[in-house]
Amino acid sequence: MGKLQSKQKRNISRYRIDGHAGHSSSTQNVQQYSPAHNDAVTSITSLTSEQCVSGGKDKTVVIYNWKSGGVQQKFLGHERDVTKVTCIFQSNRIFSASRDKTALMWDVKGKDGPLQEFTGHELGVTGLAVSPGDFQLCTGSRDNSLRIWDVQTGICLQKSSISRNLVTHICWIPTESLVIQTSEDKMIRIWDVRELQVTHTFPMKQYIQTHCDTSPDGRYCITCSNGFGGEGCEATLWDLRQAKLKVCEYKGHLQSTAACIFLPSGTSSFPLVATSAHDCTVRIWNRDTAGIVLVLNATLGVI
């Protein structure tokens, strides 16, 4: 989730989801894991309950077992930084995007290079989302365009451009032919992928929108902003039903919020979202009240 440094992983001790740490941060044991990348990690997503997929500035895509703390598979093929990775949970295919202007599809167990290459963008690919069922891929770029691709053939099915729409992230709304896209022009757009037309634009935010995610039921989306000194740096919850209104904001980060996600149901008795920021913290929030549940610090642990 977001930009993380590929340093040795810290295993935070068990905590109760009501926000009270099981141990004080000063007494936590730190378990050190081997690094996943040789440079900064730029994107991460879950593949299974024990595995995650990450992309890095070292041009590689990695499958990592976060429970055992080891690299299980490494994919080489991009010529520049990997900017995004995505997959369908428990799928056998993963996708990556890069500053080399391409997106690639990989077989989880393959060792013979990418299964498919998606080429056509004129600048780095900075948005990546796969449809439910792995049939189509949506990419976005700093060339102001979105493209829809046939996964099997690698053919571009649709292309649309909007001036100054420097794409920062894309996510697919579950069970819908719709994607949500954030941009450096501070806009949040919903696209119908069948004709690749914008069907809704949310009110413009004050700061660049860096990331977005949709809830598993497709009812909500969350977006987040860059900023500095606590100005901006918030995440915003939106209702995706008819009114498409802002529900609440999550404020507390002191630097740009790089990523925001909905946490799986069953994690607690109430729905949760998580944000990560350049202030070196991950914050877990009550989705509906915007109350802070937990703060994780890269150096201090649970605080």
Side-chain angles (χ1 to χ4, degrees):
M1 180 180 68
K3 294 183 178 180
L4 306 172
Q5 291 296 316
S6 179
K7 296 180 179 178
Q8 291 171 322
K9 182 178 177 181
R10 299 177 183 271
N11 183 25
I12 302 302
S13 59
R14 294 184 182 90
Y15 57 86
R16 298 191 300 274
I17 204 62
D18 59 7
H20 301 288
H23 303 276
S24 67
S25 59
S26 61
T27 61
Q28 289 176 35
N29 294 322
V30 177
Q31 183 174 347
Q32 295 184 340
Y33 288 160
S34 60
H37 294 271
N38 296 324
D39 205 333
V41 177
T42 54
S43 182
I44 189 168
T45 190
S46 57
L47 177 61
T48 70
S49 59
E50 297 185 0
Q51 295 172 305
C52 60
V53 179
S54 61
K57 287 189 175 182
D58 60 2
K59 310 174 189 177
T60 68
V61 177
V62 166
I63 298 177
Y64 196 91
N65 188 307
W66 62 267
K67 281 195 171 182
S68 63
V71 173
Q72 295 185 322
Q73 184 75 282
K74 182 171 287 191
F75 303 95
L76 301 171
H78 284 295
E79 297 178 358
R80 298 190 67 184
D81 306 4
V82 176
T83 55
K84 302 287 182 180
V85 292
T86 191
C87 63
I88 300 296
F89 189 70
Q90 296 182 329
S91 171
N92 60 359
R93 296 189 294 198
I94 57 180
F95 300 84
S96 58
S98 172
R99 291 181 62 196
D100 65 11
K101 309 176 188 178
T102 71
L104 299 176
M105 178 173 70
W106 310 87
D107 186 329
V108 167
K109 298 181 180 180
K111 297 182 179 180
D112 298 324
L115 293 175
Q116 190 62 266
E117 184 174 1
F118 308 92
T119 59
H121 282 293
E122 298 174 4
L123 293 173
V125 181
T126 49
L128 187 69
V130 61
S131 68
D134 279 0
F135 299 121
Q136 292 183 329
L137 187 70
C138 181
T139 59
S141 169
R142 295 186 65 82
D143 64 10
N144 304 325
S145 76
L146 263 68
R147 292 173 182 252
I148 302 295
W149 310 82
D150 181 279
V151 165
Q152 295 299 329
T153 65
I155 294 174
C156 181
L157 305 175
Q158 302 277 357
K159 175 188 174 183
S160 183
S161 299
I162 296 177
S163 177
R164 298 195 291 183
N165 181 30
L166 280 72
V167 177
T168 56
H169 200 74
I170 302 170
C171 59
W172 208 291
I173 301 178
T175 73
E176 300 282 352
S177 298
L178 301 170
V179 296
I180 299 174
Q181 175 246 315
T182 51
S183 172
E184 287 192 15
D185 66 3
K186 308 175 186 177
M187 301 297 292
I188 307 158
R189 299 176 174 90
I190 297 179
W191 296 76
D192 187 326
V193 300
R194 291 168 294 189
E195 301 294 334
L196 206 54
Q197 299 286 334
V198 175
T199 61
H200 182 78
T201 302
F202 291 94
M204 180 184 286
K205 297 288 287 182
Q206 186 176 358
Y207 291 86
I208 289 172
Q209 297 300 285
T210 57
H211 197 268
C212 58
D213 190 31
T214 56
S215 60
D217 60 10
R219 295 176 59 184
Y220 299 97
C221 78
I222 185 172
T223 62
C224 56
S225 300
N226 79 340
F228 54 90
E231 295 294 326
C233 314
E234 83 284 349
T236 305
L237 182 69
W238 307 90
D239 191 325
L240 291 179
R241 291 166 290 184
Q242 289 184 349
K244 294 182 172 58
L245 299 175
K246 180 173 71 174
V247 179
C248 62
E249 289 187 333
Y250 310 94
K251 296 184 177 181
H253 285 297
L254 299 178
Q255 296 184 40
S256 296
T257 301
C260 52
I261 62 168
F262 292 89
L263 294 184
S265 60
T267 309
S268 77
S269 59
F270 47 87
L272 300 170
V273 297
T275 56
S276 66
H278 292 178
D279 59 12
C280 299
T281 66
V282 173
R283 292 174 179 258
I284 299 175
W285 314 79
N286 183 312
R287 186 196 72 185
D288 298 333
T289 67
I292 188 69
V293 175
L294 197 71
V295 180
L296 302 174
N297 184 282
T299 55
L300 300 179
V302 179
I303 58 177

